[in-house]
Amino acid sequence: MRNIYLTILFISLVLSIFSYKKDKALYLFPFLLSAALLSDIGSAILKHYQINFYFLYHIYLLFEYAILSYYFYQVINLSLVKRIILYSIPSFTVLSIIFSLSIVGVNEYPNWQTIIECILLIIWVTIALFTIEVKESKSILLFPMFWICIGVLIYQCGIFTFTGMFNYLLKSKSDLFERLRSYHIVFNCILYTLYSIAFICSHRTKKYY
């Protein structure tokens, strides 16, 4: 299952490299997907040598939130919301570093930071979906923004349901933990598949929002 996920992630990365020329709002996604791929490969290597790898997730989380929030900053046309999103990036960064260093610890999975990220991104996605400007002659299914929003919404809602108890289940070595890891990989596959659809759509339609 993990190999399938990494294959989907790599395909999505390749597609993103060519899509940003068609839709300028997507220009940071190659960096996001490269960071995701490097983070997963790095964690697999460190795990093989029995070295704690959760610090990589702490770093990646900051990168992910900043890029996705900046994407929504670009595509949402409400000035007040745009300012809030922009200010949330440094605020989330500072709060996450505080959690990483003094509350959760860099050797633990960043569960509380992930929960905060989920809540914020779900808010931005919901606003973005309700403010998509669709021309009558174009189906909403042709908009890269639609697929990005749906992917982020499904993924963030999915992992929100079990992230809070991740570290507890990890320490307890529960069978439920392994099942939740499998669900996490499934949500990743869904996310990067929908990203790929968005990148393909960027080649088939102009930017209408």
Side-chain angles (χ1 to χ4, degrees), residues 43-91:
S43 64
I45 294 172
L46 292 175
K47 184 178 181 180
H48 176 75
Y49 290 102
Q50 299 183 334
I51 300 173
N52 188 285
F53 55 85
Y54 286 118
F55 72 93
L56 292 174
Y57 295 155
H58 287 256
I59 297 171
Y60 174 72
L61 199 67
L62 300 176
F63 200 66
E64 178 184 54
Y65 180 76
I67 289 182
L68 288 178
S69 293
Y70 189 70
Y71 172 77
F72 291 119
Y73 168 80
Q74 293 180 91
V75 299
I76 292 175
N77 295 321
L78 304 175
S79 57
L80 177 59
V81 176
K82 289 171 74 76
R83 286 199 299 271
I84 295 173
I85 292 175
L86 201 59
Y87 293 147
S88 77
I89 296 174
S91 300

Side-chain angles (χ1 to χ4, degrees), residues 22-169:
K22 303 291 183 179
D23 187 340
K24 296 302 181 184
L26 299 174
Y27 78 99
L28 287 176
F29 274 83
F31 300 102
L32 174 63
L33 299 178
S34 295
L37 186 61
L38 291 173
S39 176
D40 273 296
I41 293 174
S43 64
I45 294 172
L46 292 175
K47 184 178 181 180
H48 176 75
Y49 290 102
Q50 299 183 334
I51 300 173
N52 188 285
F53 55 85
Y54 286 118
F55 72 93
L56 292 174
Y57 295 155
H58 287 256
I59 297 171
Y60 174 72
L61 199 67
L62 300 176
F63 200 66
E64 178 184 54
Y65 180 76
I67 289 182
L68 288 178
S69 293
Y70 189 70
Y71 172 77
F72 291 119
Y73 168 80
Q74 293 180 91
V75 299
I76 292 175
N77 295 321
L78 304 175
S79 57
L80 177 59
V81 176
K82 289 171 74 76
R83 286 199 299 271
I84 295 173
I85 292 175
L86 201 59
Y87 293 147
S88 77
I89 296 174
S91 300
F92 177 79
T93 300
V94 171
L95 187 62
S96 292
I97 292 173
I98 292 173
F99 268 87
S100 296
L101 296 180
S102 60
I103 299 176
V104 177
V106 294
N107 291 326
E108 302 283 342
Y109 181 81
N111 52 348
W112 296 113
Q113 300 96 303
T114 302
I115 288 173
I116 295 171
E117 181 195 35
C118 286
I119 294 171
L120 291 173
L121 288 178
I122 288 171
I123 293 172
W124 309 149
V125 166
T126 303
I127 294 172
L129 283 172
F130 279 99
T131 56
I132 295 178
E133 297 178 3
V134 183
K135 290 190 175 183
E136 293 184 4
S137 60
K138 295 294 178 182
S139 168
I140 195 172
L141 299 179
L142 294 175
F143 285 67
M145 176 183 171
F146 172 77
W147 294 107
I148 295 291
C149 287
I150 295 301
V152 172
L153 186 62
I154 292 174
Y155 177 79
Q156 298 298 333
C157 288
I159 65 171
F160 180 81
T161 59
F162 58 81
T163 294
M165 56 183 176
F166 188 93
N167 285 325
Y168 169 77
L169 293 174

